[in-house]
Short mmCIF file of all heavy atoms in Angstrom, two decimals:
data_model
loop_
_atom_site.label_atom_id
_atom_site.label_comp_id
_atom_site.label_asym_id
_atom_site.label_seq_id
_atom_site.Cartn_x
_atom_site.Cartn_y
_atom_site.Cartn_z
N MET A 1 27.81 36.27 -141.66
CA MET A 1 27.93 37.67 -141.35
C MET A 1 26.57 38.09 -140.66
O MET A 1 25.50 37.69 -141.15
CB MET A 1 28.25 38.49 -142.63
CG MET A 1 28.50 39.96 -142.30
SD MET A 1 29.02 40.83 -143.77
CE MET A 1 30.67 40.27 -143.96
N ARG A 2 26.64 38.93 -139.71
CA ARG A 2 25.41 39.41 -139.06
C ARG A 2 24.67 40.48 -139.94
O ARG A 2 25.25 41.11 -140.74
CB ARG A 2 25.81 40.15 -137.78
CG ARG A 2 26.26 39.26 -136.63
CD ARG A 2 26.62 40.05 -135.41
NE ARG A 2 25.95 41.37 -135.42
CZ ARG A 2 26.16 42.24 -134.49
NH1 ARG A 2 26.93 42.01 -133.47
NH2 ARG A 2 25.56 43.44 -134.55
N PRO A 3 23.32 40.50 -139.75
CA PRO A 3 22.55 41.48 -140.51
C PRO A 3 22.97 42.89 -140.07
O PRO A 3 23.39 43.11 -138.93
CB PRO A 3 21.14 41.19 -140.04
CG PRO A 3 21.16 39.89 -139.41
CD PRO A 3 22.47 39.60 -138.92
N ASN A 4 22.88 43.79 -141.05
CA ASN A 4 23.15 45.22 -140.86
C ASN A 4 24.59 45.51 -140.45
O ASN A 4 24.88 46.52 -139.88
CB ASN A 4 22.19 45.82 -139.82
CG ASN A 4 20.75 45.82 -140.27
OD1 ASN A 4 20.49 45.82 -141.48
ND2 ASN A 4 19.86 45.66 -139.38
N ARG A 5 25.51 44.64 -140.79
CA ARG A 5 26.93 44.96 -140.63
C ARG A 5 27.40 45.49 -142.02
O ARG A 5 27.45 44.75 -142.94
CB ARG A 5 27.76 43.77 -140.24
CG ARG A 5 29.19 44.17 -140.03
CD ARG A 5 30.00 43.25 -139.23
NE ARG A 5 29.40 43.19 -137.86
CZ ARG A 5 30.08 42.60 -136.84
NH1 ARG A 5 31.19 41.95 -137.10
NH2 ARG A 5 29.49 42.55 -135.67
N PHE A 6 27.76 46.72 -142.06
CA PHE A 6 28.07 47.36 -143.34
C PHE A 6 29.58 46.97 -143.78
O PHE A 6 30.47 46.98 -142.89
CB PHE A 6 27.86 48.86 -143.32
CG PHE A 6 26.51 49.22 -143.08
CD1 PHE A 6 26.03 49.65 -141.84
CD2 PHE A 6 25.59 49.18 -144.09
CE1 PHE A 6 24.73 50.01 -141.62
CE2 PHE A 6 24.25 49.50 -143.86
CZ PHE A 6 23.89 49.89 -142.60
N TYR A 7 29.74 46.77 -145.05
CA TYR A 7 31.07 46.55 -145.56
C TYR A 7 31.19 47.23 -146.96
O TYR A 7 30.14 47.68 -147.46
CB TYR A 7 31.41 45.12 -145.69
CG TYR A 7 30.49 44.25 -146.58
CD1 TYR A 7 30.78 44.08 -147.90
CD2 TYR A 7 29.29 43.73 -146.11
CE1 TYR A 7 29.98 43.33 -148.75
CE2 TYR A 7 28.48 43.02 -146.94
CZ TYR A 7 28.79 42.80 -148.23
OH TYR A 7 28.02 42.05 -148.99
N ASP A 8 32.28 47.31 -147.51
CA ASP A 8 32.55 47.94 -148.82
C ASP A 8 31.98 49.35 -148.85
O ASP A 8 31.23 49.75 -149.75
CB ASP A 8 31.99 47.11 -149.92
CG ASP A 8 32.53 47.45 -151.28
OD1 ASP A 8 33.55 48.12 -151.32
OD2 ASP A 8 31.91 47.09 -152.30
N VAL A 9 32.34 50.11 -147.79
CA VAL A 9 31.80 51.54 -147.72
C VAL A 9 32.63 52.46 -148.51
O VAL A 9 33.83 52.47 -148.41
CB VAL A 9 31.75 51.94 -146.19
CG1 VAL A 9 31.24 53.35 -146.00
CG2 VAL A 9 30.96 50.93 -145.37
N ILE A 10 31.96 53.32 -149.30
CA ILE A 10 32.65 54.38 -150.02
C ILE A 10 31.90 55.69 -149.72
O ILE A 10 30.74 55.64 -149.27
CB ILE A 10 32.73 54.14 -151.53
CG1 ILE A 10 31.40 54.14 -152.20
CG2 ILE A 10 33.52 52.84 -151.84
CD1 ILE A 10 31.37 54.19 -153.70
N ARG A 11 32.60 56.80 -150.06
CA ARG A 11 31.99 58.09 -149.85
C ARG A 11 32.01 58.83 -151.11
O ARG A 11 33.00 58.89 -151.81
CB ARG A 11 32.77 58.86 -148.77
CG ARG A 11 32.07 60.06 -148.27
CD ARG A 11 32.82 60.60 -147.06
NE ARG A 11 32.13 61.79 -146.66
CZ ARG A 11 31.47 61.86 -145.50
NH1 ARG A 11 31.46 60.87 -144.67
NH2 ARG A 11 30.81 62.96 -145.19
N VAL A 12 30.87 59.39 -151.52
CA VAL A 12 30.68 60.17 -152.79
C VAL A 12 30.18 61.52 -152.27
O VAL A 12 28.95 61.64 -152.13
CB VAL A 12 29.73 59.47 -153.71
CG1 VAL A 12 29.58 60.28 -155.03
CG2 VAL A 12 30.20 58.09 -154.12
N GLY A 13 31.03 62.51 -152.04
CA GLY A 13 30.57 63.76 -151.57
C GLY A 13 30.05 63.58 -150.11
O GLY A 13 30.71 62.90 -149.31
N PRO A 14 28.88 64.01 -149.79
CA PRO A 14 28.34 63.80 -148.43
C PRO A 14 27.61 62.48 -148.29
O PRO A 14 27.13 62.12 -147.20
CB PRO A 14 27.36 64.95 -148.26
CG PRO A 14 26.91 65.24 -149.70
CD PRO A 14 28.10 64.98 -150.58
N ILE A 15 27.50 61.69 -149.40
CA ILE A 15 26.78 60.45 -149.39
C ILE A 15 27.68 59.28 -149.03
O ILE A 15 28.83 59.17 -149.59
CB ILE A 15 26.14 60.13 -150.74
CG1 ILE A 15 25.40 61.34 -151.29
CG2 ILE A 15 25.27 58.92 -150.69
CD1 ILE A 15 24.11 61.62 -150.53
N ARG A 16 27.29 58.34 -148.28
CA ARG A 16 27.95 57.09 -147.96
C ARG A 16 27.20 55.98 -148.67
O ARG A 16 25.98 55.88 -148.43
CB ARG A 16 28.12 56.81 -146.49
CG ARG A 16 29.11 57.76 -145.82
CD ARG A 16 29.44 57.29 -144.51
NE ARG A 16 30.44 58.18 -143.87
CZ ARG A 16 30.78 58.11 -142.55
NH1 ARG A 16 30.18 57.28 -141.79
NH2 ARG A 16 31.70 58.96 -142.14
N VAL A 17 27.87 55.10 -149.35
CA VAL A 17 27.29 53.93 -149.98
C VAL A 17 27.93 52.76 -149.39
O VAL A 17 29.16 52.72 -149.23
CB VAL A 17 27.60 54.00 -151.52
CG1 VAL A 17 27.03 52.77 -152.15
CG2 VAL A 17 27.00 55.22 -152.20
N ALA A 18 27.13 51.81 -148.91
CA ALA A 18 27.62 50.62 -148.32
C ALA A 18 26.78 49.38 -148.65
O ALA A 18 25.62 49.54 -149.09
CB ALA A 18 27.57 50.82 -146.79
N SER A 19 27.35 48.24 -148.46
CA SER A 19 26.70 46.94 -148.69
C SER A 19 26.48 46.22 -147.40
O SER A 19 27.26 46.45 -146.42
CB SER A 19 27.51 46.08 -149.64
OG SER A 19 27.80 46.75 -150.87
N PHE A 20 25.48 45.39 -147.31
CA PHE A 20 25.16 44.72 -146.04
C PHE A 20 24.30 43.43 -146.44
O PHE A 20 23.72 43.43 -147.50
CB PHE A 20 24.47 45.49 -145.05
CG PHE A 20 23.06 45.94 -145.35
CD1 PHE A 20 21.99 45.28 -144.96
CD2 PHE A 20 22.89 47.07 -146.16
CE1 PHE A 20 20.72 45.62 -145.24
CE2 PHE A 20 21.63 47.42 -146.47
CZ PHE A 20 20.49 46.71 -146.02
N ASN A 21 24.31 42.47 -145.55
CA ASN A 21 23.46 41.25 -145.74
C ASN A 21 22.27 41.45 -144.80
O ASN A 21 22.44 41.67 -143.57
CB ASN A 21 24.23 40.06 -145.40
CG ASN A 21 25.30 39.75 -146.40
OD1 ASN A 21 25.12 40.04 -147.59
ND2 ASN A 21 26.44 39.24 -145.91
N ASN A 22 21.10 41.32 -145.37
CA ASN A 22 19.90 41.48 -144.52
C ASN A 22 19.55 40.15 -143.85
O ASN A 22 20.27 39.16 -143.91
CB ASN A 22 18.73 42.04 -145.36
CG ASN A 22 18.24 41.04 -146.38
OD1 ASN A 22 18.68 39.90 -146.44
ND2 ASN A 22 17.32 41.42 -147.22
N GLY A 23 18.50 40.09 -143.01
CA GLY A 23 18.17 38.91 -142.25
C GLY A 23 17.82 37.70 -143.06
O GLY A 23 17.83 36.59 -142.59
N ARG A 24 17.50 37.88 -144.33
CA ARG A 24 17.21 36.79 -145.23
C ARG A 24 18.33 36.30 -146.04
O ARG A 24 18.18 35.44 -146.90
CB ARG A 24 16.07 37.26 -146.21
CG ARG A 24 14.76 37.60 -145.50
CD ARG A 24 13.76 38.04 -146.50
NE ARG A 24 12.50 38.29 -145.81
CZ ARG A 24 11.36 38.49 -146.41
NH1 ARG A 24 11.27 38.34 -147.69
NH2 ARG A 24 10.24 38.67 -145.69
N GLY A 25 19.50 36.80 -145.73
CA GLY A 25 20.71 36.34 -146.42
C GLY A 25 20.98 37.02 -147.77
O GLY A 25 21.82 36.60 -148.55
N GLN A 26 20.20 38.06 -148.12
CA GLN A 26 20.41 38.76 -149.39
C GLN A 26 21.37 39.87 -149.18
O GLN A 26 21.46 40.50 -148.15
CB GLN A 26 19.07 39.35 -149.79
CG GLN A 26 17.95 38.36 -150.04
CD GLN A 26 16.63 39.04 -150.17
OE1 GLN A 26 16.36 40.10 -149.57
NE2 GLN A 26 15.79 38.42 -150.96
N THR A 27 22.19 40.15 -150.17
CA THR A 27 23.07 41.27 -150.19
C THR A 27 22.28 42.52 -150.70
O THR A 27 21.74 42.47 -151.77
CB THR A 27 24.28 41.04 -151.06
OG1 THR A 27 25.00 39.91 -150.57
CG2 THR A 27 25.20 42.33 -150.99
N ARG A 28 22.25 43.56 -149.87
CA ARG A 28 21.57 44.80 -150.19
C ARG A 28 22.59 45.97 -150.14
O ARG A 28 23.65 45.78 -149.57
CB ARG A 28 20.43 45.06 -149.23
CG ARG A 28 19.37 43.95 -149.13
CD ARG A 28 18.63 43.80 -150.41
NE ARG A 28 17.72 44.97 -150.46
CZ ARG A 28 16.97 45.23 -151.52
NH1 ARG A 28 16.90 44.39 -152.52
NH2 ARG A 28 16.18 46.22 -151.60
N HIS A 29 22.20 47.06 -150.72
CA HIS A 29 23.12 48.22 -150.79
C HIS A 29 22.33 49.48 -150.36
O HIS A 29 21.13 49.56 -150.69
CB HIS A 29 23.64 48.34 -152.19
CG HIS A 29 24.17 47.08 -152.76
ND1 HIS A 29 25.45 46.59 -152.51
CD2 HIS A 29 23.59 46.16 -153.54
CE1 HIS A 29 25.53 45.45 -153.12
NE2 HIS A 29 24.48 45.11 -153.71
N THR A 30 23.01 50.37 -149.69
CA THR A 30 22.33 51.51 -149.21
C THR A 30 23.11 52.81 -149.60
O THR A 30 24.33 52.70 -149.61
CB THR A 30 22.05 51.52 -147.68
OG1 THR A 30 21.30 52.58 -147.25
CG2 THR A 30 23.36 51.44 -146.91
N ALA A 31 22.42 53.88 -149.70
CA ALA A 31 23.07 55.17 -149.93
C ALA A 31 22.39 56.11 -148.91
O ALA A 31 21.14 56.21 -148.79
CB ALA A 31 22.81 55.70 -151.31
N ALA A 32 23.20 56.87 -148.09
CA ALA A 32 22.66 57.74 -147.14
C ALA A 32 23.51 59.01 -147.08
O ALA A 32 24.67 58.99 -147.13
CB ALA A 32 22.74 57.03 -145.73
N CYS A 33 22.81 60.09 -147.01
CA CYS A 33 23.42 61.41 -146.94
C CYS A 33 23.78 61.73 -145.54
O CYS A 33 23.00 61.56 -144.62
CB CYS A 33 22.49 62.51 -147.56
SG CYS A 33 23.33 64.11 -147.70
N THR A 34 25.00 62.31 -145.28
CA THR A 34 25.49 62.67 -143.98
C THR A 34 25.41 64.13 -143.67
O THR A 34 25.81 64.56 -142.62
CB THR A 34 26.90 62.20 -143.76
OG1 THR A 34 27.71 62.79 -144.74
CG2 THR A 34 26.96 60.65 -143.83
N ALA A 35 24.80 64.90 -144.59
CA ALA A 35 24.64 66.36 -144.42
C ALA A 35 23.68 66.65 -143.34
O ALA A 35 22.63 65.94 -143.27
CB ALA A 35 24.22 67.02 -145.71
N PRO A 36 23.85 67.66 -142.54
CA PRO A 36 22.86 68.02 -141.52
C PRO A 36 21.47 68.34 -142.08
O PRO A 36 21.36 68.96 -143.08
CB PRO A 36 23.39 69.28 -140.80
CG PRO A 36 24.83 69.31 -141.26
CD PRO A 36 24.96 68.59 -142.56
N LYS A 37 20.44 67.79 -141.46
CA LYS A 37 19.02 68.07 -141.82
C LYS A 37 18.64 67.57 -143.24
O LYS A 37 17.65 68.01 -143.78
CB LYS A 37 18.70 69.51 -141.60
CG LYS A 37 18.86 70.00 -140.23
CD LYS A 37 18.44 71.45 -140.14
CE LYS A 37 18.59 71.93 -138.69
NZ LYS A 37 18.23 73.37 -138.56
N CYS A 38 19.43 66.67 -143.80
CA CYS A 38 19.05 66.24 -145.15
C CYS A 38 18.07 65.02 -145.06
O CYS A 38 17.01 65.06 -145.63
CB CYS A 38 20.24 65.75 -145.94
SG CYS A 38 19.87 65.14 -147.60
N GLY A 39 18.46 63.94 -144.36
CA GLY A 39 17.57 62.87 -144.17
C GLY A 39 17.45 61.86 -145.36
O GLY A 39 16.63 60.93 -145.29
N PHE A 40 18.25 62.06 -146.41
CA PHE A 40 18.13 61.08 -147.58
C PHE A 40 18.84 59.81 -147.20
O PHE A 40 19.99 59.77 -146.79
CB PHE A 40 18.74 61.73 -148.77
CG PHE A 40 18.95 60.79 -149.94
CD1 PHE A 40 17.95 60.42 -150.72
CD2 PHE A 40 20.20 60.16 -150.13
CE1 PHE A 40 18.11 59.52 -151.76
CE2 PHE A 40 20.42 59.27 -151.15
CZ PHE A 40 19.33 58.95 -151.99
N SER A 41 18.07 58.72 -147.41
CA SER A 41 18.70 57.36 -147.36
C SER A 41 17.75 56.43 -148.09
O SER A 41 16.57 56.65 -148.11
CB SER A 41 18.87 56.89 -145.91
OG SER A 41 17.67 56.70 -145.29
N ASN A 42 18.31 55.51 -148.78
CA ASN A 42 17.54 54.46 -149.49
C ASN A 42 18.29 53.18 -149.60
O ASN A 42 19.46 53.18 -149.60
CB ASN A 42 17.12 55.06 -150.89
CG ASN A 42 15.83 54.54 -151.38
OD1 ASN A 42 15.28 53.60 -150.85
ND2 ASN A 42 15.31 55.26 -152.35
N GLU A 43 17.48 52.12 -149.82
CA GLU A 43 18.08 50.75 -149.95
C GLU A 43 17.89 50.30 -151.34
O GLU A 43 16.78 50.49 -151.93
CB GLU A 43 17.41 49.86 -148.96
CG GLU A 43 18.02 48.49 -148.87
CD GLU A 43 17.35 47.67 -147.79
OE1 GLU A 43 17.19 48.12 -146.65
OE2 GLU A 43 16.89 46.60 -148.08
N TYR A 44 18.85 49.64 -151.90
CA TYR A 44 18.80 49.18 -153.29
C TYR A 44 19.25 47.76 -153.41
O TYR A 44 20.00 47.29 -152.58
CB TYR A 44 19.75 50.06 -154.20
CG TYR A 44 19.41 51.50 -154.22
CD1 TYR A 44 20.00 52.37 -153.29
CD2 TYR A 44 18.48 52.05 -155.08
CE1 TYR A 44 19.70 53.73 -153.24
CE2 TYR A 44 18.13 53.34 -155.03
CZ TYR A 44 18.75 54.19 -154.14
OH TYR A 44 18.44 55.58 -154.14
N GLY A 45 18.75 47.04 -154.46
CA GLY A 45 19.11 45.71 -154.63
C GLY A 45 20.40 45.55 -155.48
O GLY A 45 21.00 44.48 -155.59
N ASP A 46 20.86 46.67 -156.10
CA ASP A 46 21.99 46.68 -156.97
C ASP A 46 22.99 47.73 -156.55
O ASP A 46 22.58 48.90 -156.20
CB ASP A 46 21.47 46.96 -158.36
CG ASP A 46 22.52 46.71 -159.47
OD1 ASP A 46 23.52 47.50 -159.60
OD2 ASP A 46 22.47 45.70 -160.14
N ARG A 47 24.26 47.49 -156.44
CA ARG A 47 25.29 48.37 -156.07
C ARG A 47 25.34 49.56 -157.00
O ARG A 47 25.56 50.71 -156.52
CB ARG A 47 26.62 47.67 -155.95
CG ARG A 47 27.87 48.50 -155.53
CD ARG A 47 27.78 48.89 -154.17
NE ARG A 47 28.92 49.71 -153.85
CZ ARG A 47 29.45 49.88 -152.60
NH1 ARG A 47 28.97 49.14 -151.66
NH2 ARG A 47 30.40 50.73 -152.41
N SER A 48 25.24 49.35 -158.33
CA SER A 48 25.35 50.44 -159.24
C SER A 48 24.19 51.43 -159.04
O SER A 48 24.38 52.63 -159.28
CB SER A 48 25.38 49.94 -160.70
OG SER A 48 24.24 49.18 -160.96
N ALA A 49 23.05 50.95 -158.64
CA ALA A 49 21.90 51.91 -158.43
C ALA A 49 22.19 52.78 -157.25
O ALA A 49 21.84 53.90 -157.22
CB ALA A 49 20.63 51.07 -158.24
N ALA A 50 22.77 52.23 -156.17
CA ALA A 50 23.10 53.03 -155.01
C ALA A 50 24.12 54.07 -155.30
O ALA A 50 24.06 55.22 -154.91
CB ALA A 50 23.58 52.11 -153.88
N GLU A 51 25.11 53.62 -156.08
CA GLU A 51 26.20 54.59 -156.49
C GLU A 51 25.64 55.69 -157.37
O GLU A 51 26.03 56.82 -157.31
CB GLU A 51 27.32 53.85 -157.09
CG GLU A 51 28.15 53.03 -156.12
CD GLU A 51 29.33 52.36 -156.67
OE1 GLU A 51 29.67 52.55 -157.91
OE2 GLU A 51 29.89 51.50 -155.99
N LEU A 52 24.72 55.34 -158.32
CA LEU A 52 24.11 56.39 -159.16
C LEU A 52 23.29 57.34 -158.29
O LEU A 52 23.34 58.60 -158.53
CB LEU A 52 23.21 55.71 -160.25
CG LEU A 52 22.51 56.64 -161.12
CD1 LEU A 52 23.45 57.45 -161.95
CD2 LEU A 52 21.49 55.85 -162.04
N ALA A 53 22.55 56.84 -157.36
CA ALA A 53 21.79 57.78 -156.47
C ALA A 53 22.70 58.69 -155.69
O ALA A 53 22.39 59.82 -155.50
CB ALA A 53 20.91 56.94 -155.49
N ALA A 54 23.80 58.18 -155.29
CA ALA A 54 24.83 59.00 -154.56
C ALA A 54 25.39 60.08 -155.48
O ALA A 54 25.54 61.27 -155.08
CB ALA A 54 25.92 58.13 -153.98
N ARG A 55 25.68 59.77 -156.69
CA ARG A 55 26.30 60.77 -157.62
C ARG A 55 25.25 61.80 -157.98
O ARG A 55 25.64 62.96 -158.27
CB ARG A 55 26.78 60.08 -158.85
CG ARG A 55 28.05 59.29 -158.55
CD ARG A 55 28.81 58.95 -159.87
NE ARG A 55 27.94 58.14 -160.76
CZ ARG A 55 27.86 56.87 -160.76
NH1 ARG A 55 28.58 56.14 -159.93
NH2 ARG A 55 27.07 56.28 -161.65
N THR A 56 23.95 61.52 -158.11
CA THR A 56 22.96 62.41 -158.54
C THR A 56 22.16 63.10 -157.45
O THR A 56 21.40 64.02 -157.67
CB THR A 56 21.98 61.74 -159.55
OG1 THR A 56 21.32 60.64 -158.80
CG2 THR A 56 22.66 61.18 -160.76
N HIS A 57 22.38 62.81 -156.21
CA HIS A 57 21.64 63.40 -155.07
C HIS A 57 22.09 64.82 -154.87
O HIS A 57 23.27 65.25 -154.93
CB HIS A 57 21.90 62.63 -153.77
CG HIS A 57 21.36 63.34 -152.59
ND1 HIS A 57 20.05 63.41 -152.33
CD2 HIS A 57 21.98 63.95 -151.53
CE1 HIS A 57 19.84 64.05 -151.20
NE2 HIS A 57 21.00 64.36 -150.74
N ARG A 58 21.08 65.73 -154.69
CA ARG A 58 21.29 67.08 -154.34
C ARG A 58 20.56 67.40 -153.08
O ARG A 58 19.35 67.19 -153.02
CB ARG A 58 20.88 68.00 -155.47
CG ARG A 58 21.53 67.79 -156.75
CD ARG A 58 23.02 68.29 -156.73
NE ARG A 58 23.68 68.04 -157.96
CZ ARG A 58 24.58 67.11 -158.09
NH1 ARG A 58 24.93 66.37 -157.10
NH2 ARG A 58 25.20 66.87 -159.28
N CYS A 59 21.23 67.91 -152.07
CA CYS A 59 20.59 68.29 -150.83
C CYS A 59 19.73 69.53 -151.11
O CYS A 59 20.18 70.44 -151.75
CB CYS A 59 21.59 68.55 -149.68
SG CYS A 59 22.51 67.07 -149.16
N ILE A 60 18.57 69.57 -150.43
CA ILE A 60 17.74 70.72 -150.59
C ILE A 60 18.07 71.79 -149.53
O ILE A 60 18.31 71.53 -148.45
CB ILE A 60 16.22 70.34 -150.48
CG1 ILE A 60 15.90 69.35 -151.58
CG2 ILE A 60 15.32 71.56 -150.53
CD1 ILE A 60 14.51 68.78 -151.51
#
């Protein structure tokens, strides 16, 4: 699988959580807010951490 190709994408409110394989062959997980002017996004090593961040994120 190519790096940065997202799979297993879910949506939790305005946040999208997805998994991808980085260039080193590791599976990583990301959470990113799609609300205008929010800018929240982060990469995690664990899927549950990304989903927790999505559930607890509050846009300012």
Side-chain angles (χ1 to χ4, degrees):
M1 189 176 283
R2 287 181 20 183
N4 296 331
R5 181 161 299 189
F6 297 104
Y7 61 93
D8 197 18
V9 179
I10 64 167
R11 192 170 180 113
V12 179
I15 310 288
R16 286 190 180 172
V17 177
S19 300
F20 67 96
N21 292 325
N22 65 8
R24 296 180 176 194
Q26 301 166 327
T27 300
R28 303 293 289 174
H29 311 279
T30 187
C33 186
T34 59
K37 298 183 182 179
C38 179
F40 168 78
S41 68
N42 211 344
E43 186 176 309
Y44 301 92
D46 193 287
R47 177 75 184 204
S48 62
E51 291 181 8
L52 178 64
R55 286 193 306 271
T56 58
H57 171 71
R58 299 288 177 251
C59 293
I60 298 173

